[in-house]
Amino acid sequence: MNEIIKVRASSWAGLFDCAHRWEGEHLLGIRKPAGMRALLGTAVHAGTATFDKSRMDGSNITADEAAGVVIDTLRCPDFEVDRSQDDLSMRESERIALTAHSLYCAEISPQFEFVGVENTLDPLDIDCGHGLTIRLTGTMDRARAAQTEAGPVIADVKTGTRVIEQGRASTRGRAAQTGTYQLMYEHTERVSTAGSQILALSTTSTPAAAVSPVFDARRVMVGTEGHPGLIEHAAAMFKTGLFPPNPSSPLCSPKYCARWETCLFRER
Ligand code: SF4
């Protein structure tokens, strides 16, 4: 019997952080509302995407005009938000979000020639054997494709308080997400990608911006001769139905994990 399990590409990276949490959220439907910091990140992404799309289509709206989208998203999110989480007021959220948005529009966006912003991607099937197929679906979420001399690069916008370390955009743990986008972009556009890059916007009380070097995230997904990549590891999880916990995950807390209350593996 053939079974196809549909998985949103944007969730894929979480599978390799704590697979047990991922299973809870995406296969068992155990969810929790987002906090103010997540909403702040979504608002910055919405504003910067509006700005980049206007650069692509030639309408060239200003950073200030695109900032309206930042405020609208903060005030009227289209997902459930627990505004008591994160000890961050609306006023402070707006200040941080608008500063990060301005930094992006002035310092990061002009460095790139975008050819796709938050593209819809063709489904990509991963054959796990024994009649089981994982179908990755969705959009590039918060990522863009930028044209370079070496080919398109997947440029993923990341917001948060730890996205910049010692003045550099951190690429740690990013390959699962951007590698997935590289594979799906290649599958959709029938081109080879040249790598991935992180466009980091720190949303601490003093926002900052940084761009990582280009790195080969695709290789982490597909592996090398004799070294299975993340796709093979994921296939093994789906095949066995065993999704291992990771109580060392930085997201292993009641704030981020919807499975926290019932999880056998977390610290007590
Ligand atoms: S409580 Fe920790 S170990 Fe358990 S599912 Fe959540 S993140 Fe994973």
Side-chain angles (χ1 to χ4, degrees):
M1 191 182 78
N2 284 340
E3 186 184 5
I4 297 176
I5 299 177
K6 285 189 186 173
V7 173
R8 284 189 63 80
S10 56
S11 82
W12 196 237
L15 178 63
F16 303 101
D17 180 44
C18 176
H20 200 59
R21 185 182 67 237
W22 187 93
E23 180 201 26
E25 283 178 27
H26 299 284
L27 297 184
L28 307 178
I30 305 170
R31 298 285 167 90
K32 71 192 295 298
M36 278 305 279
R37 287 223 162 263
L39 175 59
L40 194 165
T42 300
V44 173
H45 284 285
T48 57
T50 300
F51 183 76
D52 285 341
K53 281 177 188 162
S54 88
R55 285 190 56 220
M56 266 179 55
D57 68 20
S59 54
N60 290 319
I61 63 171
T62 64
D64 279 355
E65 286 166 335
V69 177
V70 178
I71 297 300
D72 289 348
T73 307
L74 273 173
R75 293 183 183 173
C76 305
D78 60 4
F79 53 91
E80 195 185 351
V81 178
D82 176 0
R83 292 183 188 267
S84 65
Q85 266 189 46
D86 298 325
D87 198 20
L88 192 63
S89 69
M90 190 63 174
R91 193 187 171 111
E92 180 66 351
S93 301
E94 288 187 3
R95 184 190 70 75
I96 294 171
L98 289 175
T99 309
H101 171 81
S102 301
L103 276 173
Y104 178 87
C105 297
E107 295 181 12
I108 295 187
S109 181
Q111 298 179 38
F112 294 91
E113 184 198 334
F114 294 117
V115 290
V117 178
E118 300 176 346
N119 291 29
T120 300
L121 299 165
D122 290 345
L124 177 69
D125 287 352
I126 298 171
D127 183 358
C128 300
H130 304 289
L132 178 64
T133 300
I134 304 303
R135 178 162 293 164
L136 293 174
T137 64
T139 68
M140 285 209 298
D141 197 32
R142 292 161 174 189
R144 289 91 161 111
Q147 195 58 48
T148 70
E149 282 180 9
V153 164
I154 300 301
D156 198 10
V157 177
K158 292 291 180 200
T159 56
T161 54
R162 282 177 293 195
V163 294
I164 297 179
E165 292 175 346
Q166 297 178 333
R168 295 184 179 167
S170 171
T171 58
R172 201 162 7 141
R174 301 301 190 198
Q177 181 94 55
T178 57
T180 302
Y181 291 151
Q182 273 189 249
L183 289 174
M184 292 183 76
Y185 188 83
E186 290 180 358
H187 174 65
T188 303
E189 301 292 334
R190 306 279 188 260
V191 293
S192 296
T193 54
S196 294
Q197 251 178 315
I198 300 299
L199 316 185
L201 286 169
S202 165
T203 50
T204 59
S205 57
T206 312
V211 175
S212 80
V214 175
F215 60 100
D216 187 359
R218 185 186 194 285
R219 196 176 61 126
V220 178
M221 289 299 290
V222 300
T224 56
E225 187 83 33
H227 297 280
L230 290 180
I231 286 179
E232 220 165 309
H233 286 283
M237 284 191 253
F238 282 97
K239 213 156 38 184
T240 59
L242 288 174
F243 294 89
N246 176 16
S248 301
S249 160
L251 303 182
C252 186
S253 86
K255 188 170 157 186
Y256 299 114
C257 180
R259 214 170 183 178
W260 173 266
E261 287 301 329
T262 56
C263 180
L264 187 67
F265 309 102
R266 65 173 168 86
E267 275 184 19
R268 289 176 191 267

